[in-house]
Amino acid sequence: MTVYIITLITSVFFAFLYSKSKRNSFFLKMLLFLSIFLPMALRWNIGTDYKNYYEQILHDVQPALNKWGGFDIGWRPLLIFIKYFEIDIHFFFVVVSFFTLIFIFKLIDKKTAPIAILVYICSIWLESLSPVRQYFAVAMATYGFKLYWKEENKKGIILIILSCLFHRSCFLFLPILIFVRPIKLSPAVIICIFAFSWLFFHIVNVPNILYSRVMYAMFGNASRYFSAESEYGQATRMGTGLGVLLKEF
């Protein structure tokens, strides 16, 4: 709770200074980056997947035997580096956190940085400490879509395809790449989309209904992220609820 509040306050403060700065912009941007990156990099055994990844890399990843512990092919260079040089496995989380934020910052414009950082910290920053591989892949794909819709098609397509190598769920982005073009949405339409998403994922929880019939066949072990019975899909356990209230507000 304390770390979250400090991160929220310092990141928004540095984002505001950065957005208003005419000089020392790079210095302020670095302070903004570090205010978010350091809590991500220095955490220890925090996040649902931390122990899972740690144990997999420690015991199941054996490059010499072509065993990768369930990691997608895109992670193999980093895993080989960690195992070959016998680096502490926590280095994996430092690297992933660093490059996830690199892509996040590439999505943020200087002028709107305070709002963008506030939304990021209050919405997905905490969640990104758990499924770290997926959030890295999605951040890469999202930046790819930004390039693609700004008519930098080749770079965008390459990044979106590369993201699939880091997490198989990003294959779901490919139909969007093919069929969806950027459009301007009115606030009313955005609210309707949000309401539908909330109904689909939280109220009715359609993915959980489809889990036993479709998801396992499509995604194999990755389908556990959809299941309410798994540790990834269980209801949030709270104390006073103050931290969740602050985050959602």
Side-chain angles (χ1 to χ4, degrees), residues 18 22 27 62 79 92 94-95 98 107 129 152-153 164 172 177 190-191 194 199 206 241 246:
Y18 169 63
K22 295 182 179 179
F27 176 72
Q62 301 179 43
L79 295 174
F92 175 85
V94 176
V95 172
F98 179 83
L107 293 167
L129 301 181
E152 296 184 47
N153 294 354
C164 298
L172 296 172
L177 180 64
I190 293 174
I191 291 173
F194 175 80
L199 177 68
V206 174
L246 173 64

Side-chain angles (χ1 to χ4, degrees), residues 1-244:
M1 179 68 175
T2 303
V3 173
Y4 178 76
I5 293 176
I6 293 173
T7 302
L8 175 65
I9 293 173
T10 55
S11 62
V12 173
F13 174 71
F14 286 131
F16 176 78
L17 294 181
Y18 169 63
S19 68
K20 299 297 183 181
S21 64
K22 295 182 179 179
R23 299 179 180 178
N24 300 322
S25 291
F26 178 78
F27 176 72
L28 290 170
K29 190 174 185 179
M30 285 298 300
L31 290 177
L32 171 59
F33 183 91
L34 291 174
S35 68
I36 303 173
F37 169 68
L38 290 179
M40 297 173 70
L42 298 178
R43 66 191 171 116
W44 185 266
N45 200 24
I46 294 175
T48 305
D49 278 344
Y50 188 99
K51 184 178 181 180
N52 295 339
Y53 292 169
Y54 198 98
E55 294 294 328
Q56 284 186 54
I57 297 173
L58 182 63
H59 301 295
D60 300 333
V61 174
Q62 301 179 43
L65 301 176
N66 198 31
K67 294 183 178 180
W68 303 101
F71 284 86
D72 298 275
I73 191 172
W75 299 107
R76 293 185 183 181
L78 176 58
L79 295 174
I80 291 172
F81 181 81
I82 290 173
K83 299 294 280 192
Y84 181 81
F85 291 101
E86 299 182 351
I87 298 173
D88 191 295
I89 295 172
H90 184 79
F91 181 72
F92 175 85
F93 299 93
V94 176
V95 172
V96 177
S97 298
F98 179 83
F99 285 102
T100 300
L101 277 183
I102 289 293
F103 287 118
I104 293 294
F105 271 61
K106 285 183 176 294
L107 293 167
I108 295 173
D109 295 322
K110 180 178 179 181
K111 185 177 180 180
T112 57
I115 297 174
I117 292 297
L118 179 63
V119 170
Y120 171 61
I121 298 296
C122 288
S123 58
I124 63 174
W125 181 73
L126 278 181
E127 282 79 358
S128 70
L129 301 181
S130 292
V132 293
R133 293 182 303 162
Q134 187 174 38
Y135 271 81
F136 168 80
V138 170
M140 176 189 290
T142 306
Y143 179 57
F145 276 110
K146 179 180 180 179
L147 295 178
Y148 180 71
W149 285 336
K150 284 191 172 183
E151 300 184 354
E152 296 184 47
N153 294 354
K154 291 183 179 180
K155 293 180 181 179
I157 292 173
I158 289 172
L159 282 176
I160 294 167
I161 293 175
L162 281 176
S163 72
C164 298
L165 302 180
F166 291 91
H167 203 282
R168 284 167 289 175
S169 65
C170 288
F171 280 106
L172 296 172
F173 285 128
L174 297 183
I176 300 176
L177 180 64
I178 298 171
F179 298 110
V180 178
R181 292 294 181 267
I183 56 176
K184 292 184 178 180
L185 301 177
S186 67
V189 172
I190 293 174
I191 291 173
C192 289
I193 292 174
F194 175 80
F196 174 79
S197 300
W198 185 264
L199 177 68
F200 187 89
F201 289 106
H202 293 277
I203 306 301
V204 180
N205 200 347
V206 174
N208 188 54
I209 295 173
L210 296 176
Y211 168 71
S212 60
R213 302 176 185 177
V214 179
M215 293 303 175
Y216 186 82
M218 292 176 60
F219 300 107
N221 291 331
S223 63
R224 67 186 184 276
Y225 292 109
F226 296 104
S227 174
E229 284 72 37
S230 76
E231 61 183 324
Y232 304 98
Q234 294 177 6
T236 301
R237 299 170 185 171
M238 299 185 293
T240 63
L242 179 61
V244 175

